[in-house]
Amino acid sequence: MTETITPLTAFDDASLDEAFRALTDQVRSAASQLTTAEAQENFRLDWLGRKQGRLKLLSETWLKTAPPEAKKSLGMRFNTLKNEIEAALASEPASSKASSAPALDLSLPGIRRNIGVEHPLTRTMREMTAVFAALGYSVGIGPEVETDFYNFEALNFPPNHPARDTQDTLVVADQEGKPLRERLLMRTHTSPVQIRSMVSNPPPLRIVIPGKVHRNDESDATHSPIFHQVEGLCVDTNITFSDLKGTLDYAMKAFFGSSVKTRFFPSFFPFTEPSADVQISCPFCGQKGCRKCKFSGWIELLGCGMVDPAVFAAVDARRIENGLEPAYDTKKISGFAFGMGVERIAMMKYGVGDIGQFYSGDLRFLSQFV
Ligand code: DAH
């Protein structure tokens, strides 16, 4: 310490009190800032250093000039000050944990965190939904536990109609007393959400409906009792079958690539008339023939059709029951609908041979989709 020491001129108690109070304040304020072991050591040297420590210099200077009767009192005060300094050194520096921790070795490799990725089914469903969202479709969802009315009756599957058998429905137990249309079941397709959307919204309507569906199917390489669909519905004035063809052709090109072609074949669904199955030219082999298209050059991908007038009638009847204006007059409006299975598309796109892999939770399978 090279600091010059102010000599003491008065040695009465009051002067000593004042001088030592000032020193004590200095010690305390310096002690409160000792956050590292290094600062603590500097503080020790500053005050207690054997040769240049302040305490040493102060006591030498002041004791030398003190009158004999003041020396004892002065000595006691220096002792008290020394105790104060030693107490400050005995306590740990404020952030001793940081300072006593081993130094960081910046050359060590970092800890790699596993970041989850979107499940291939979620991704396929989201990408397909996004194609329609970009065309101005809103995204609609509905309940998985559905009533017979929405899943079947309003979609023109009358009671005991043979088409109901194709759906392998899982029904909720113990509902014998209930009217058929109110009975609960696991929805077998996303089409009931079409009805729910129309019952609560007047046309024009453009919605895309991604969702989970349930059927009483045995699991095998291509079947699962729970799977996913993406459904679409467009209702407005002057909607024609050409609009349906143009929309689906555009959507398949947007999803699979612009060189993909589509073709439509007559089919049957109770809720559409006419109905069609849509095939796309195989995007995987460019129609040269591969296992995915079973060497035919074409893949069947979705069902579609013009909304059956019976569906619009059921919707309007329910709207009236709910206290709403009927809004689906088939003299003024028409519409098309389509539906497709997400698993089938994802299996083809990613070359997955067994549908069960999607639900296995096996990280060796899932981590391939990073
Ligand atoms: N709901 C049908 C099924 O699960 C798929 C479907 C076909 C939906 C034609 C539609 C459609 O909207 O128009 O098999």
Side-chain angles (χ1 to χ4, degrees), residues 167 188-191 194 215 229 231-232 269 271-272 276 302-305 336-340:
Q167 300 267 329
T188 57
H189 48 180
T190 41
S191 306
Q194 289 187 24
R215 290 191 195 179
Q229 292 183 333
E231 181 98 13
F269 300 101
F271 39 91
T272 45
L302 38 81
C304 64
F336 65 73
F338 56 88
M340 64 197 113

Side-chain angles (χ1 to χ4, degrees), residues 18-38:
E18 195 189 314
F20 277 86
R21 199 177 310 119
L23 288 172
T24 310
D25 283 351
Q26 281 179 38
V27 166
R28 288 187 183 160
S29 115
S32 71
Q33 287 164 37
L34 301 180
T35 52
T36 64
E38 192 190 357

